[in-house]
Amino acid sequence: MTFGAFTDDNHYQLTTPQTVGAWWNYCFNDHTHVTVGPDGSGKSIIREPNIQQWNRPFRWFYLRDRATGEVWCPAWAPMGSQLDSYTCTHGPVSTTISSSKAALNSDIRCYVPSEAQAETWTWTLSDTSGNDRQFDVFVILGLDDKNFMGWNCFWDDEQNVFAKYAFPHHAHYDDYERLKTRPTHAAVAPTIDPTSWAGRLDDVTGGACAGIVPDAVAAGILPSQVVSNGNPVAALHWRVDVPANSSWRVDWLATLVDSTADAAALRQQVAADATAVDAELAKVTTKANEDEEQIVCDSPDADLNRIINRWMKKQITWQTRLWRNGISYPVRNILQDAVGYSLYAPTAALEPMRTVTAMQKQNGYVKVWTTRPGENADHPLVHKVHDDGGIWLAICCAAGLHAARDMTLLDEVIPYVDSGSATWYEHLLGALRFYDTELGDHGLVLMRDGDWTDPINGPGRFGKGESGWASMALAYACEQVAVLADLKNDSTAATECRERAERHRQACDDHLWGGDHYAYGFDDDGL
């Protein structure tokens, strides 16, 4: 079954909301990550000061024709409305869901601004009947319901912002001190004040299931009352006049912030009116197009070209700049992502490489699994010891420095995580020398709690097992750093690196080669 196709401008256009599997788009900047599906659903995540999903991933849109009483969902869900036409267009920085019914066109668009920790939505209605029309327009956004410390939803008349206030859950007073710096207001800041609003799902639906016309939508009014229990939502309603062959538009900014005043300030910054919203979108689009113009694939397969030139780059950019939205993560992933990023954004790719380099200890050790500052570990491998961190540091930083074509960067001073500092070049040499104390009885790199293949975390748990993969990768890393030594005219280090590489290759050949394949390594018993 075909769900859609690429467009001439390299967007992907779905022609049905009833897809199999996830057909989400990612919209993001360094502080925000939003997913948008064919029906508008998806996650809303902020990253500062901590990574936090502040919504429940449903976004519902309803239209009610005031003359006929007919109600439908222009994004199809949750009523499964029969629409005259439907498309969902995923682009490099935005998603637009377009549909038509009863001679009314609807366009719902989402994107993330270039810098603001927020997401911006636009809903435009256009009449094609040639008659003046009146509609009730509803948007219902799911909000996080993990509010054990209590919450309340309200409309702030002074800031013209809807918000749900909730203090982060904690069990101990010490946690309160840590959590009090985190944002407390899930906020929606529209460019047009709503006619009515609601903060509780039951006040919208009347207890009916999602596929039924909600009671408040059928009545054309929300209660506009402060609430502090039930299922929290941000429900906004506008009573709209759409002149014949004309249009109506509302924009809103959504985010998690410290106060409604902060939300109003963000709206003023990037979404004060339609002109500001469109200008910010143009700015974000220009940057995405610049990335697309770097390292261009021109093969006979047009779809392959589109994937590589735009969509693969978008995925790599997201993974690298947002560190895969990980709270606990292996730094090897970040380094590998950054190498891909360096092919089309070499200067920006150096930033995560610097960050990981600064995680190295003076003895050359790089802890692979770590946790984002300010977060609590959420993965068991954080507590394990992996020995391949310095190998990946050397391989990936060498590749990134070559891509940057600026060897003066080798002399840039970067701190160690424990104390002191050294040049980037010395960090990489130290990463290789660390393994002098991490070799087993066969001269191979100790496996510890696992190498690149994390599930192989048993054979070396007692400190004697050895990894063939890590030994081969270390030989390659030594060769790459030797090239950097050549560029610095450091013949002593270049010779040292190449001799190290040869020793590790020879150890692999002597102890792992079985005539037609290499063994993966040895366990703690030497087997």
Side-chain angles (χ1 to χ4, degrees), residues 468-469 472 511-514 517-521:
W469 176 89
M472 295 178 186
H511 301 292
L512 299 177
W513 180 244
H517 69 279
Y518 284 94
Y520 200 89

Side-chain angles (χ1 to χ4, degrees), residues 57-359:
F58 64 85
R59 305 182 184 105
W60 296 336
F61 307 88
Y62 294 90
L63 289 170
R64 175 178 178 267
D65 189 323
R66 293 179 63 81
T68 66
E70 184 178 13
V71 174
W72 69 94
C73 294
W76 183 72
M79 290 175 56
S81 299
Q82 295 299 309
L83 303 169
D84 296 335
S85 68
Y86 166 91
T87 59
C88 173
T89 304
H90 289 324
V93 298
S94 65
T95 285
T96 300
I97 301 170
S98 301
S99 67
S100 64
K101 185 178 177 67
L104 186 74
N105 293 335
S106 167
D107 295 285
I108 301 167
R109 183 184 70 192
C110 174
Y111 79 93
V112 168
S114 58
E115 297 292 338
Q117 183 160 277
E119 59 196 73
T120 301
W121 290 78
T122 298
W123 192 354
T124 303
L125 301 175
S126 303
D127 171 71
T128 60
S129 72
N131 299 312
D132 293 344
R133 315 280 296 280
Q134 292 80 40
F135 293 91
D136 286 308
V137 179
F138 294 84
V139 56
I140 295 94
L141 308 175
L143 300 178
D144 178 21
D145 62 350
K146 299 176 181 178
N147 308 121
F148 308 112
M149 308 304 293
W151 58 272
N152 65 292
C153 288
F154 60 95
W155 173 262
D156 186 332
D157 284 318
E158 183 178 347
Q159 301 295 340
N160 304 102
V161 168
F162 177 92
K164 185 202 78 172
Y165 168 81
F167 193 86
H169 176 253
H170 59 282
H172 302 283
Y173 180 77
D174 290 344
D175 289 333
Y176 169 80
E177 289 298 313
R178 175 175 58 87
L179 295 171
K180 69 181 183 180
T181 61
R182 297 192 176 182
T184 53
H185 288 71
V188 179
T191 54
I192 302 173
D193 289 355
T195 306
S196 64
W197 54 271
R200 180 167 50 204
L201 185 59
D202 283 355
D203 289 339
V204 179
T205 65
C209 65
I212 305 271
V213 175
D215 286 359
V217 174
I221 194 72
L222 296 170
S224 301
Q225 295 178 346
V226 176
V227 292
S228 58
N229 61 74
N231 295 321
V233 296
L236 303 181
H237 157 237
W238 294 270
R239 192 162 292 164
V240 173
D241 293 328
V242 182
N245 301 316
S246 186
S247 63
W248 173 88
R249 166 175 171 163
V250 65
D251 302 273
W252 66 88
L253 178 142
T255 184
L256 185 66
V257 286
D258 292 325
S259 67
T260 54
D262 289 339
L266 281 175
R267 176 180 55 201
Q268 184 61 31
Q269 177 184 337
V270 296
D273 53 31
T275 299
V277 169
D278 292 346
E280 184 68 17
L281 176 58
K283 178 180 178 181
V284 177
T285 301
T286 297
K287 178 59 175 69
N289 290 339
E290 289 173 356
D291 286 346
E292 186 170 353
E293 293 167 358
Q294 306 300 315
I295 312 295
V296 175
C297 174
D298 185 14
S299 77
D301 188 330
D303 284 352
L304 176 64
N305 297 340
R306 293 183 179 106
I307 290 292
I308 292 177
N309 294 337
R310 168 164 287 173
W311 295 100
M312 183 180 291
K313 289 177 184 175
K314 176 174 180 174
Q315 182 73 10
I316 292 171
T317 300
W318 169 76
Q319 291 182 172
T320 308
R321 297 194 68 89
L322 274 69
W323 291 53
R324 305 194 187 191
N325 272 339
I327 292 176
S328 297
Y329 48 78
V331 296
R332 67 166 85 95
N333 286 2
I334 308 308
L335 290 168
Q336 293 164 18
D337 294 341
V339 170
Y341 193 34
S342 72
L343 296 178
Y344 59 94
T347 301
L350 292 174
E351 288 305 314
M353 293 183 184
R354 286 187 181 92
T355 301
V356 175
T357 302
M359 295 178 182

Side-chain angles (χ1 to χ4, degrees), residues 357-373:
T357 302
M359 295 178 182
Q360 184 184 32
K361 291 186 175 182
Q362 272 193 329
N363 68 356
Y365 175 68
V366 178
K367 180 174 173 57
V368 172
W369 273 89
T370 188
T371 299
R372 189 174 186 259

